[in-house]
Amino acid sequence: MNAYLNEYRARILAIRQELISKGREGNCIEIKNLLLNPAAQSKQFLSEFGQYCEKRQGEVGVRITQLTANKYHRL
């Protein structure tokens, strides 16, 4: 049982360190979400970034050029 708890604690600390290295707070809720479902954050990011690209596409000719909008979509 102690070995299992030590391994679990090590995973928690690794996730926290990863979040801190990415410049995020690394609070208990973020750690819990990544511990239970590590792929969930990636899917959310891609969804949010897709919406951001659509927003930038709407600014073509007003604030940015089409070339800049294309770069967002390629990213």
Side-chain angles (χ1 to χ4, degrees):
M1 187 63 151
N2 285 338
Y4 174 77
L5 290 174
N6 287 337
E7 181 181 322
Y8 197 73
R9 182 174 190 267
R11 285 179 34 208
I12 290 171
L13 292 174
I15 290 171
R16 182 173 185 268
Q17 187 61 39
E18 180 182 333
L19 288 171
I20 290 172
S21 69
K22 291 180 180 179
R24 293 170 51 190
E25 186 178 343
N27 61 25
C28 62
I29 294 172
E30 284 184 311
I31 293 170
K32 177 186 170 191
N33 289 338
L34 288 175
L35 193 61
L36 296 177
N37 191 3
Q41 295 294 331
S42 297
K43 291 178 184 176
Q44 275 187 333
F45 172 77
L46 294 176
S47 173
E48 291 293 321
F49 192 73
Q51 292 174 359
Y52 180 78
C53 288
E54 290 175 14
K55 177 183 169 188
R56 289 293 175 207
Q57 185 65 39
E59 296 177 352
V60 170
V62 178
R63 293 188 62 196
I64 62 173
T65 65
Q66 183 62 48
L67 292 174
T68 303
N70 292 344
K71 289 177 186 177
Y72 282 112
H73 286 284
R74 274 186 285 173
L75 180 67

